[in-house]
């Protein structure tokens, strides 16, 4: 067995219990097994997998960019594939005994990586996913549905890491399966322990949605993260027109800030760019949630449907939300679930 300290000391952004679960799954493989990881980044998890199997397994790690840090792991110790999981699957020959999916943290990203690797999985293969939590709700919806529909069995979860045994006979979930998972999650999210930054206070529940003037020639939108992306989809704003705060060079423009980094952006705009505070408008998570709520209740979900980026997502969203009664949608807004879902489910970050 590998040294327990080798696993726990690996330089990567995993909780100690996540490192333990990942290492244990790799250590249980028989010599000659094949491990495939999606999402190499700097190589921390590859180092755990390599140490846990003591170099007796073939390790393939997939990433669309090369950020491997030689101080963390040597490229000589594994096969580093530059590309996506589709390109890897097209050229890989053999069976996968352990798959670790930790790439694009959107729903479509998790779905695509799993669908690409699934035909290559050996019977009884172990499949692991990282970031299975409400902060990465697309991954959570996907994994919860795999478990609920029997695609994975003998499931173990440690913090944000989920591991299960592959069931080849189980069919892939349908849009209706994912929609039912979302409905069940929404009920769970209303519990106090899940309510976070986007929970609405009673006084905020009917705050007006932020107004956008007809003439937008003197408006700039700041925020290249998930909140900015959501605002761009809801209001038909070109995503390419969203900028970072350091790009704000016109003091005569008004700046709509769609970001969780409110303090840092405000400091940059005022102190470095000389923008008057009166020209800075902050778009809050509550306001974004209200825009979604109003659209679902009053406009048939026309704007909300635009958040979907794939055929599967376009089938899921109406099934998941349009059939809900108004009082349920109000509760989902108040708990923060509406914002949490539409911010994280589709965003590729």
């Amino acid at each position: 067995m590998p040294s327990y300290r080798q696993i726990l000391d690996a330089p990567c952004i995993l909780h100690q219990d996540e490192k333990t679960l990942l290492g244990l799954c790799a250590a249980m493989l028989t010599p000659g097994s094949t491990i495939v990881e999606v999402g190499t980044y700097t190589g921390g998890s590859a180092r755990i997998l390599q140490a846990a199997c003591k170099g007796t397994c073939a390790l393939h790690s997939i990433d669309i960019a090369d950020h491997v840090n030689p101080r963390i792991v040597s490229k000589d110790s594994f096969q580093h594939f530059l590309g996506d999981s589709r390109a890897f699957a097209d050229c890989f020959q053999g069976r996968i005994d352990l798959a670790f999916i930790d790439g694009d943290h959107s729903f479509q990203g998790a779905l695509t990586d799993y669908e690409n690797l699934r035909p290559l999985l050996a019977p009884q293969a172990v499949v692991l996913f990282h970031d299975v939590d409400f902060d990465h709700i697309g991954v959570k919806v996907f994994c919860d549905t795999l478990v609920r529909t029997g695609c994975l069995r003998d499931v173990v979860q440690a913090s944000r890491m989920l591991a299960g045994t592959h069931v080849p006979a189980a069919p892939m979930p349908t849009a209706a399966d994912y929609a039912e998972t979302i409905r069940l999650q929404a009920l769970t999210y209303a519990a106090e322990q899940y309510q976070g930054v986007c929970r609405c206070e009673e006084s905020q529940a009917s705050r007006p949605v932020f107004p956008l003037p007809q003439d937008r020639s003197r408006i700039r939108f700041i925020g290249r993260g998930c909140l900015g992306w959501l605002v761009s989809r809801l209001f038909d704003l070109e995503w390419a027109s969203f900028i970072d705060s350091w790009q704000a060079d016109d003091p005569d423009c008004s700046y709509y800030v769609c970001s969780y980094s409110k303090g840092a952006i405000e400091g940059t705009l005022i102190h470095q760019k000389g923008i008057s505070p009166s020209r800075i408008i902050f778009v809050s998570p509550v306001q974004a949630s209200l825009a979604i709520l109003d659209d679902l209740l009053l406009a048939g979900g026309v704007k909300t449907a635009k958040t979907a980026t794939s055929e599967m997502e376009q089938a899921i969203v109406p099934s998941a939300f349009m059939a809900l009664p108004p009082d349920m949608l109000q509760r989902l807004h108040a708990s923060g679930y509406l914002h949490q879902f539409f911010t994280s489910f589709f965003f590729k970050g």
Side-chain angles (χ1 to χ4, degrees), residues 26-341:
M28 293 174 63
L29 295 173
T30 57
S33 296
T34 298
I35 302 171
V36 173
E37 170 190 46
V38 180
T40 315
Y41 197 40
T42 56
S45 50
R47 175 167 161 173
I48 290 175
L49 292 165
Q50 177 201 44
C53 71
K54 301 188 73 172
T56 64
C57 299
L59 172 58
H60 302 262
S61 191
I62 305 166
D63 210 310
I64 59 174
D66 187 355
H67 297 293
V68 175
N69 185 342
R71 294 184 177 182
I72 295 176
V73 65
S74 169
K75 282 189 179 180
D76 294 335
S77 63
F78 69 102
Q79 297 294 320
H80 188 216
F81 184 88
L82 275 177
D84 59 20
S85 58
R86 177 72 271 159
F88 174 83
D90 285 342
C91 65
F92 179 78
Q93 296 182 348
R95 287 292 183 184
I96 300 172
D97 300 290
L98 185 153
F100 175 39
I101 297 176
D102 187 23
D104 178 349
H105 290 86
S106 66
F107 168 81
Q108 189 61 46
L111 170 63
T112 298
D113 288 335
Y114 179 76
E115 284 186 325
N116 289 338
L117 297 185
R118 191 172 193 250
L120 305 174
L121 295 174
Q124 308 296 312
V126 176
V127 183
L128 297 103
F129 292 86
H130 189 230
D131 289 320
V132 184
D133 60 8
F134 277 111
D135 287 338
H136 306 87
I137 207 163
V139 180
K140 182 165 176 59
V141 167
F142 180 70
C143 290
D144 284 1
T145 306
L146 290 185
V147 175
R148 199 173 56 80
T149 58
C151 291
L152 296 178
R153 61 176 176 81
D154 303 326
V155 174
V156 177
Q157 184 156 1
S159 189
R160 301 168 300 163
M161 183 86 72
L162 182 142
T165 303
H166 170 55
V167 180
M172 279 294 293
T174 65
D177 292 323
Y178 295 119
E180 176 62 10
T181 297
I182 291 166
R183 188 188 71 81
L184 295 171
Q185 280 188 1
L187 296 174
T188 304
Y189 193 89
E192 184 68 28
Q193 64 264 33
Y194 295 116
Q195 295 174 352
V197 296
C198 51
R199 182 187 179 190
C200 304
E201 299 299 331
E202 193 70 29
S203 61
Q204 297 175 313
S206 59
R207 180 187 297 180
V209 177
F210 63 95
L212 285 175
Q214 290 289 92
D215 181 10
R216 300 176 187 173
S217 61
R218 306 302 298 168
I219 290 178
R220 301 292 181 268
F221 295 91
I222 292 178
R224 296 282 301 167
C226 55
L227 182 55
W229 180 89
L230 176 60
V231 170
S232 76
R233 302 291 288 190
L234 287 174
F235 294 96
D236 292 320
L237 304 171
E238 287 289 335
W239 178 233
S241 68
F242 280 65
I243 63 174
D244 292 316
S245 55
W246 57 268
Q247 297 173 296
D249 292 323
D250 189 343
D252 294 324
C253 283
S254 294
Y255 292 90
Y256 281 72
V257 178
C258 314
S259 173
Y260 295 114
S261 303
K262 178 180 176 180
I265 290 175
E266 185 176 34
T268 299
L269 293 178
I270 294 174
H271 299 299
Q272 296 184 28
K273 296 296 183 176
I275 307 297
S276 169
S278 64
R279 292 189 173 274
I280 304 172
I281 300 97
F282 290 98
V283 181
S284 74
V286 174
Q287 290 171 305
S289 182
L290 272 170
I292 296 166
L293 179 65
D294 286 353
D295 180 58
L296 290 171
L297 292 176
L298 306 175
V302 174
K303 289 182 178 180
T304 303
K306 295 177 183 178
T307 58
T309 58
S310 69
E311 289 185 12
M312 176 63 83
E313 292 170 350
Q314 289 166 359
I316 291 171
V317 172
S319 300
F321 292 98
M322 294 310 300
L324 294 178
D327 62 329
M328 180 63 176
L329 289 172
Q330 291 279 3
R331 287 199 299 273
L332 297 187
H333 163 62
S335 72
Y337 184 85
L338 274 186
H339 168 265
Q340 190 75 6
F341 180 89

